[in-house]
Amino acid sequence: MPTTFLRLLTPLFSLGLLAFAAAAPTPAAAQDRGTEEPRTSPNAAVSQTIGTTEVRLTYGRPQVNDRAIFGDLVPYNEVWRTGANEATTFSVSSDVTIEGESLSAGTYSLYTIPGPNSWTIIFNNVADQWGTQYDRSADALRVDVSPESAPPHEMMTFGFEQVTSTSGTCVLYWADARVPFEIQEAEN
């Protein structure tokens, strides 16, 4: 009986060693991880609790790089992915209102239509997408807001201002623009 056991154990032990060796990184593979280039537009995330609702934005941060942004690189009156790379996502853990309009709890892609005097903020039901695969038929909500002038911001940034126990203002800053939209926790 011990001989049979050893005959079975030897191949199993050999297979285990082979699997372990295959999973271990080689020196070349370890070096490859260190040579990965950072993104030109790095990813960022910001979150804020408003009342009991967690609000979170995840986005790519493009830079101005001495370019004319709104009305040029980002054309007026056209859908913009509002960031770089993958679509910007906007998540709320419970129902809210955006500029007084209802938005259900969930994760959305966030697009905008910039204009010189008015922007449309778009919450689209397809959250996990590359930034340029927008489909209007999947919109959950569109609201119009007024942009404002701001001191220059090299990298696009989202933040939260005027946060209270029931509301807050999410603000997009980039180039010389400030684009605010109000979020309010929905009444139960």
Side-chain angles (χ1 to χ4, degrees):
M1 194 127 161
T3 307
T4 306
F5 179 73
L6 286 175
R7 280 189 210 149
L8 290 173
L9 187 60
T10 303
L12 288 174
F13 182 73
S14 298
L15 281 173
L17 281 176
L18 183 60
F20 178 76
T26 63
Q31 288 175 344
D32 287 346
R33 282 186 292 213
T35 61
E36 185 176 312
E37 293 292 320
R39 287 181 170 205
T40 303
S41 300
N43 287 341
V46 61
S47 64
Q48 176 66 53
T49 301
I50 297 173
T52 59
T53 302
E54 182 180 353
V55 181
R56 182 176 179 83
L57 285 108
T58 305
Y59 60 103
R61 298 184 71 195
Q63 299 179 50
V64 172
N65 287 332
D66 295 321
R67 300 176 291 186
I69 302 300
F70 299 112
D72 191 22
L73 178 68
V74 176
Y76 285 138
N77 305 314
E78 292 182 22
V79 174
W80 174 45
R81 65 177 152 186
T82 317
N85 307 317
E86 299 84 4
T88 293
T89 59
F90 179 89
S91 300
V92 286
S93 62
S94 57
D95 296 351
V96 296
T97 62
I98 307 288
E99 292 292 315
E101 300 292 327
S102 297
L103 183 68
S104 297
T107 301
Y108 303 88
S109 56
L110 186 132
Y111 289 90
T112 55
I113 301 174
N117 302 311
S118 179
W119 281 44
T120 301
I121 311 290
I122 303 167
F123 301 87
N124 187 275
N125 284 309
V126 182
D128 187 20
Q129 61 180 298
W130 188 250
T132 56
Q133 296 175 339
Y134 170 75
D135 176 4
R136 182 179 178 147
S137 69
D139 287 354
L141 177 65
R142 285 177 165 228
V143 295
D144 292 326
V145 298
S146 298
E148 302 168 358
S149 295
H153 279 75
E154 176 65 24
M155 292 184 89
M156 191 184 89
T157 303
F158 280 100
F160 291 92
E161 300 174 359
Q162 302 165 332
V163 176
T164 71
S165 62
T166 60
S167 67
T169 302
C170 183
V171 183
L172 164 84
Y173 285 101
W174 195 31
D176 60 355
R178 177 184 186 274
V179 183
F181 59 94
E182 184 183 24
I183 304 166
Q184 185 142 5
E185 193 169 44
E187 295 179 18
N188 294 330

